[in-house]
Amino acid sequence: MAVARKIAYNVFWSATAKVLATVLALVSIGFITRYLGKEGFGDYATVLAFFSFFGAFADLGLYSMATREISRIGADEKKIMGNVFSLRVCSSLIVFILSPLIFFLPYSHELKLGIIIAAASFVFSSTYSVLNGIFQKYLAMNRVAITELIGKVIQLLIVIAAVKMKLGFSMIIFSLFFYMLFNFIVVFILSRKYIKFKIEFDFIYWKKFIKESIPMGIAVLITFFYFKMDTILLSMLKSNADVGIYNAAYKVIENITFFPAMLIGLILPLTSRYIFTDKDKFKQISDKTFKIFFILIIPIVIGVLFLADGIIKLIGGIGFAESADVLRIIIFSLAFIFFGNFFNNILLAGNLQKKLMLALGICAVFNISLNLFLIPRYSYMGSAYTSVITEMLVVIFGFYLSRKYLKYVPTVKKIGSMLISGLAMSVFLFFFKELNFFILVLGSSAIYFILLYATKAITKDELKSIFNREKVQIEEVFPEEPAG
C-alpha cells in the first residue's frame, strides 16, 4: 500500500473508532450517573482524576521519545523498546506501590479502594500506551484505535451488568481495570508483529534516555495540573455530590476535546514543514484551520447555552439538574481549548517548546491558586469559572508568543457572516425551545450552516477542502514516489 494511502487509511479508521468510542463513553456515563447518583458519580470522577494524575506523574515523556527514537534511520528498535518498556513498567509499578498513601486523604474507604483499583489499572494502561510508538512508526495506529474501541464495548457491557445486577461502586471501577487489561494484552500481542523486543535493564541507557525525555514528562504533568486538578481539589474541599455535579457537565466537554486535538494532529506535519520554509503557505494553512475552528465553536457554544438542560438530562438524568448551569459556563472552556490547541501547535512547529512549557506552568499555578480561593466559597461554580479563565489564559499566552517570536497573527474573513449565522441559530432555539431536543439540535445546526453558505462565509471550494483535508495534507507531506 502506498504511503499516502496507508496514512489516509489509518486516519480514517482511527478517527472513526475514536468517535464511536466517545459515543460509548457517554452512554457508559449515562448508566453510571443514573446508578450511582450525584455522590457516587462524584467518587467515580475522583477516581478518574487520580487515574489521570498517575498517568501524568509516571509519564516521563517516554512515549514521545520512544516514537522519535525508533523512527530514526538505523535505530536499534529492539534495544530502544526493550529498555523503554522496562522503564515504563518500573515507573508504573512505583506509582502502584505508592498508591496506598491515598489512605491518608480524607476519603471514604470505598473511594480509597477505588483509587487503588485505578492504580492497578494504570499499570496496564501505562505499559500498553508506550507501545503505541511502534504502531505510529509502522503506520498502524488504526489497530490500536480499533482495539480500544472493542475495549470500550467490553467496559460498557461490564458497566451495564454492574448496574442491572446492582454489583456496586467497586465493580464500576473494575470495568476500567478490565478495559485496560484487555487493551494491554491485545496491543502487546499485535506489537510483536513489528518488533520482537525483550525486557532490558541497561541503566546507563535509561539515564541518558530519561535526561532527554524528562522535559516532555514535565509538560504532561503541568498540563494535568491545569486540566484535571480541579476535580481532586473539589473532592478534598467539598462533598462528593459537588464533585458529581461538576463532572457530569465536565465529562461532556472532556469527551469533545479529542476533536480539536485530532484536527491539530492532521495539520502539525504541514505547519512544521512550512513554518520556516514557506511563510505564505504556513499562514494560509494556519488561517484556514483557525477559520474552521471558529466556524465549529460558534454553534457548539450557542447550542449548549440553549440546550444545556436537555444535554444534562440525556447524559446524567434528572438527578443532575444543577449541572446544566455548570455546563453553560464551562462550554466557554471548550471554546478556548480549541484555540489553545491551535496556538500550542504553532509554537511546537516553531520549536518554542520551552516557552510553551513555561506558559503552561504559569497557567497551572494560576489554576490551582484560583481554585483554592474559589472552591471553598463557590464550590463547583468556582471550579467552572476557574476552568474558563485558565483556558483563556492559555490562549492569551499562545497568541502573545506566536505574535512575538513567529510574527504570526491569524486572519479570518467573514467573521460578521459567521456571527449573523450564529444569531439566526439563537433566534430559532429561543422561539422554538418547546420542540423535541433532537429536532432543536438538527434544526438549529441546519440553519447555521445553510446561512454560512448563503452568506459565503464558507464557500463550495472550502467545503471540498475540509472533506478532502486528510488526502491533501497527507499527499503534501508524503508525496507518492514516481513509479519505476
Side-chain angles (χ1 to χ4, degrees):
M1 187 184 291
V3 173
R5 201 177 313 128
K6 193 171 183 179
I7 296 173
Y9 176 84
N10 270 269
V11 169
F12 172 78
W13 282 109
S14 296
T16 302
K18 185 64 178 176
V19 170
L20 292 174
T22 299
V23 172
L24 291 175
L26 291 172
V27 172
S28 181
I29 289 170
F31 277 98
I32 293 169
T33 52
R34 287 165 174 79
Y35 176 57
L36 297 180
K38 286 183 285 194
E39 292 80 6
F41 184 68
D43 285 345
Y44 176 77
T46 302
V47 168
L48 293 186
F50 273 97
F51 181 82
S52 298
F53 172 69
F54 297 148
F57 184 75
D59 182 86
L60 302 177
L62 296 180
Y63 165 66
S64 301
M65 279 293 296
T67 304
R68 189 187 79 178
E69 291 299 308
I70 66 172
S71 298
R72 287 178 169 169
I73 297 174
D76 187 344
E77 297 176 334
K78 292 182 179 180
K79 178 179 179 180
I80 294 169
M81 289 310 304
N83 279 285
V84 171
F85 186 80
S86 303
L87 255 172
R88 179 51 65 87
V89 169
C90 288
S91 66
S92 303
L93 288 175
I94 288 171
V95 168
F96 178 67
I97 291 168
L98 293 176
S99 63
L101 292 174
I102 206 72
F103 282 94
F104 290 102
L105 295 178
Y107 293 146
S108 67
H109 178 77
E110 189 175 45
L111 176 52
K112 291 173 182 176
L113 180 60
I115 295 172
I116 297 297
I117 296 171
S121 306
F122 169 72
V123 173
F124 296 106
S125 167
S126 178
T127 46
Y128 99 76
S129 65
V130 81
L131 298 175
N132 288 354
I134 297 173
F135 296 91
Q136 192 167 337
K137 174 183 177 177
Y138 287 96
L139 305 180
M141 279 301 291
N142 60 304
R143 296 191 172 201
V144 176
I146 293 171
T147 298
E148 290 177 343
L149 176 61
I150 296 171
K152 275 292 179 188
V153 173
I154 294 172
Q155 184 183 22
L156 176 60
L157 292 175
I158 294 172
V159 167
I160 293 173
V163 171
K164 296 297 182 183
M165 299 171 67
K166 298 182 179 179
L167 299 177
F169 178 78
S170 293
M171 184 52 68
I172 297 290
I173 304 301
F174 264 116
S175 71
L176 176 67
F177 177 86
F178 290 119
Y179 169 54
M180 294 306 174
L181 177 61
F182 171 82
N183 289 350
F184 168 74
I185 293 172
V186 176
V187 169
F188 181 79
I189 292 172
L190 292 175
S191 72
R192 311 299 288 174
K193 175 183 177 181
Y194 304 100
I195 304 176
K196 290 185 173 64
F197 64 88
K198 297 179 180 178
I199 297 290
E200 293 192 33
F201 294 90
D202 186 337
F203 297 113
I204 295 175
Y205 183 82
W206 284 23
K207 183 178 178 180
K208 177 185 174 183
F209 199 90
I210 291 175
K211 186 177 179 180
E212 291 188 46
S213 69
I214 201 66
M216 299 179 193
I218 293 172
V220 171
L221 190 59
I222 288 172
T223 302
F224 165 81
F225 279 125
Y226 85 77
F227 192 68
K228 292 292 292 183
M229 195 64 184
D230 49 2
T231 294
I232 293 178
L233 291 176
L234 196 59
S235 71
M236 292 179 177
L237 299 173
K238 290 293 178 179
S239 70
N240 51 2
D242 287 29
V243 178
I245 291 168
Y246 178 70
N247 276 275
Y250 205 86
K251 287 298 175 187
V252 177
I253 304 300
E254 199 173 71
N255 279 284
I256 301 175
T257 53
F258 85 90
F259 189 68
M262 184 178 70
L263 289 179
I264 287 299
L266 289 174
I267 71 159
L268 182 57
L270 283 181
T271 51
S272 299
R273 181 185 180 97
Y274 294 120
I275 192 167
F276 297 121
T277 60
D278 191 335
K279 288 285 186 181
D280 291 337
K281 196 154 193 175
F282 162 75
K283 181 169 174 55
Q284 180 186 11
I285 293 167
S286 299
D287 285 353
K288 189 176 290 187
T289 304
F290 192 86
K291 181 179 180 180
I292 291 171
F293 277 13
F294 211 91
I295 286 172
L296 291 174
I297 204 62
I298 289 174
I300 291 174
V301 171
I302 291 172
V304 168
L305 289 176
F306 282 93
L307 301 172
D309 294 293
I311 294 170
I312 291 299
K313 186 176 180 181
L314 187 66
I315 298 298
I318 58 175
F320 287 81
E322 304 99 318
S323 299
D325 287 334
V326 178
L327 182 57
R328 288 188 178 95
I329 296 169
I330 62 173
I331 188 58
F332 291 99
S333 292
L334 181 64
F336 290 123
I337 287 171
F338 266 73
F339 298 113
N341 277 329
F342 173 82
F343 285 115
N344 289 353
N345 165 70
I346 300 295
L347 295 174
L348 288 173
N351 295 326
L352 294 171
Q353 297 94 323
K354 290 184 179 179
K355 294 188 183 298
L356 173 60
M357 190 167 69
L358 176 62
L360 293 179
I362 294 171
C363 292
V365 173
F366 173 83
N367 179 278
I368 294 172
S369 301
L370 193 58
N371 265 314
L372 288 172
F373 177 76
L374 292 181
I375 287 175
R377 294 164 177 78
Y378 306 106
S379 187
Y380 48 80
M381 297 301 282
S383 286
Y385 283 114
T386 299
S387 175
V388 175
I389 297 169
T390 303
E391 297 296 348
M392 180 177 67
L393 195 59
V394 171
V395 175
I396 291 171
F397 274 126
F399 175 82
Y400 170 76
L401 293 172
S402 298
R403 181 179 180 181
K404 180 176 181 179
Y405 294 101
L406 301 172
K407 310 302 179 188
Y408 172 71
V409 176
T411 303
V412 182
K413 298 177 181 178
K414 297 281 188 178
I415 289 181
S417 298
M418 298 179 205
L419 295 176
I420 290 171
S421 302
L423 179 62
M425 179 183 177
S426 302
V427 171
F428 171 81
L429 289 171
F430 179 78
F431 284 105
F432 296 95
K433 55 190 172 187
E434 300 303 324
L435 291 177
N436 176 271
F437 174 81
F438 295 102
I439 293 175
L440 288 173
V441 171
L442 294 173
S444 59
S445 300
I447 287 171
Y448 177 74
F449 285 104
I450 289 171
L451 277 175
L452 276 183
Y453 187 73
T455 59
K456 296 184 178 179
I458 187 167
T459 64
K460 186 182 292 187
D461 289 338
E462 285 176 324
L463 281 173
K464 287 181 180 178
S465 73
I466 292 171
F467 290 113
N468 293 326
R469 190 175 188 81
E470 293 165 7
K471 182 177 183 298
V472 171
Q473 292 180 357
I474 287 162
E475 288 181 350
E476 286 194 48
V477 180
F478 299 95
E480 300 287 1
E481 297 180 3

